[in-house]
Amino acid sequence: MATTNSLQHHHHSSSYQHHRHNLHPQSHVVPSSLSLKHPTSTAPFSSLICSSSSSVVSAALTTNASSVTAETSTEFDVLATHLTNQDFRKADEETRRLLIQIAGEAAVKRGYVFFSEVKSISVEDLQAIDNLWTKHSDGRFGYSVQRKIWLKVKKDFTRFFIKVEWMKLLDTEVVQYNYRAFPDEFQWELNDETPLGHLPLTNALRGTQLLKCVLSHPAFEIDGDDIEEAEEAENRGVGGKAKTKDTTVFKTDYSF
């Protein structure tokens, strides 16, 4: 979703557009990188929470600073409240709204985020959102959780979508997958059956570049995770052909 095609997930403000597609085995081609547009420079959303200078300021400035801080706190509190109440559907919607806001004024006016704007989002802002998701899901939801899965499947988005169950296996003789219909076919409750990394969703209607930029953001990097992946790839090359558990490949159509 909201592949998440990402989830890259490109992106409408309050709701996802989903189109169901049957995927037939054929050569899988990872979308090539697009040239990045120059992102609009914006101040980190979380920087508004910074404490005021110790120097003496006028009463008017103090009042304005307090108002901005209160407003910012309220924005994150909305997400925290939904997650505390285990209302993951509303939390997902609020996460999309926050991403648009922290991406800058242009994204707010447009109503969705361009993948080229992700790099201008501060580490603190994305980590604040991710920390709330992981905290209130016992570590099962969040961008950092999705990144680990993405790296584990060698950054193959089709297999990532299958792993987090943004796609479903069809009951056919030939192995085929379909994108889940939003919102009814996604899982909004946290239980033992809920797949790891299922939420939050990222709309991939315009391709997987948005989701790729989010999952590649420095906010979610862990020392050694990319190095470990590179070493595994090298080891496969040294020992000859690696064992392939699933030779099925899928069509690179990520619109859902």
Side-chain angles (χ1 to χ4, degrees):
M1 192 195 86
T3 152
T4 210
N5 309 303
S6 336
L7 124 181
Q8 234 184 12
H9 217 225
H10 93 20
H11 184 101
H12 296 285
S13 79
S14 62
S15 65
Y16 287 93
Q17 295 187 15
H18 300 268
H19 307 281
R20 306 183 64 177
H21 301 275
N22 286 345
L23 304 180
H24 301 281
Q26 53 182 280
S27 298
H28 175 73
V29 179
V30 179
S32 59
S33 300
L34 302 179
S35 58
L36 299 179
K37 297 181 180 179
H38 295 292
T40 303
S41 177
T42 57
F45 188 61
S46 55
S47 67
L48 299 177
I49 307 177
C50 295
S51 59
S52 60
S53 171
S54 56
S55 59
V56 178
V57 294
S58 65
L61 289 177
T62 301
T63 301
N64 289 338
S66 299
S67 298
V68 172
T69 301
E71 180 180 353
T72 302
S73 178
T74 299
E75 293 296 337
F76 281 107
D77 282 348
V78 171
L79 176 59
T81 298
H82 291 325
L83 290 171
T84 298
N85 295 335
Q86 301 286 281
D87 192 337
F88 295 110
R89 171 73 186 280
K90 288 184 178 179
D92 184 68
E93 293 176 353
E94 176 64 10
T95 298
R96 284 196 294 280
R97 190 195 68 78
L98 284 172
L99 282 178
I100 293 172
Q101 184 162 346
I102 64 181
E105 182 179 351
V108 173
K109 290 182 178 180
R110 187 187 314 118
Y112 55 90
V113 181
F114 280 152
F115 74 88
S116 58
E117 295 170 322
V118 174
K119 66 180 181 180
S120 67
I121 300 177
S122 75
V123 167
E124 293 77 13
D125 291 338
L126 282 178
Q127 286 182 342
I129 294 172
D130 184 62
N131 289 340
L132 287 171
W133 275 97
T134 56
K135 175 183 177 181
H136 296 286
S137 66
D138 294 328
R140 297 185 62 82
F141 296 153
Y143 294 121
S144 59
V145 177
Q146 292 174 350
R147 173 183 167 83
K148 292 177 181 178
I149 298 172
W150 181 55
L151 293 179
K152 190 173 182 179
V153 297
K154 313 308 175 189
K155 300 182 180 180
D156 183 312
F157 278 109
T158 300
R159 288 179 169 81
F160 170 79
F161 294 154
I162 294 172
K163 194 73 175 178
V164 298
E165 295 192 21
W166 290 359
M167 297 171 67
K168 62 181 180 179
L169 178 66
L170 299 179
D171 185 15
T172 57
E173 293 182 2
V174 179
V175 177
Q176 297 183 68
Y177 286 85
N178 223 17
Y179 294 103
R180 293 185 181 276
F182 180 87
D184 295 340
E185 292 188 350
F186 286 88
Q187 300 184 42
W188 305 106
E189 295 182 0
L190 182 63
N191 53 52
D192 293 339
E193 303 300 320
T194 307
L196 193 68
H198 192 65
L199 298 172
L201 303 177
T202 298
N203 193 332
L205 182 61
R206 297 179 181 83
T208 57
Q209 287 293 332
L210 176 60
L211 182 55
K212 178 180 179 180
C213 289
V214 171
L215 299 183
S216 300
H217 196 280
F220 311 122
E221 288 182 356
I222 299 175
D223 291 341
D225 58 3
D226 281 325
I227 294 177
E228 181 180 351
E229 181 192 14
E231 290 178 346
E232 289 180 359
E234 183 178 355
N235 291 334
R236 290 196 301 273
V238 172
K241 294 184 178 180
K243 293 182 179 180
T244 305
K245 294 182 178 180
D246 184 4
T247 58
T248 304
V249 291
F250 305 93
K251 182 179 177 182
T252 56
D253 183 356
Y254 302 111
S255 56
F256 65 95

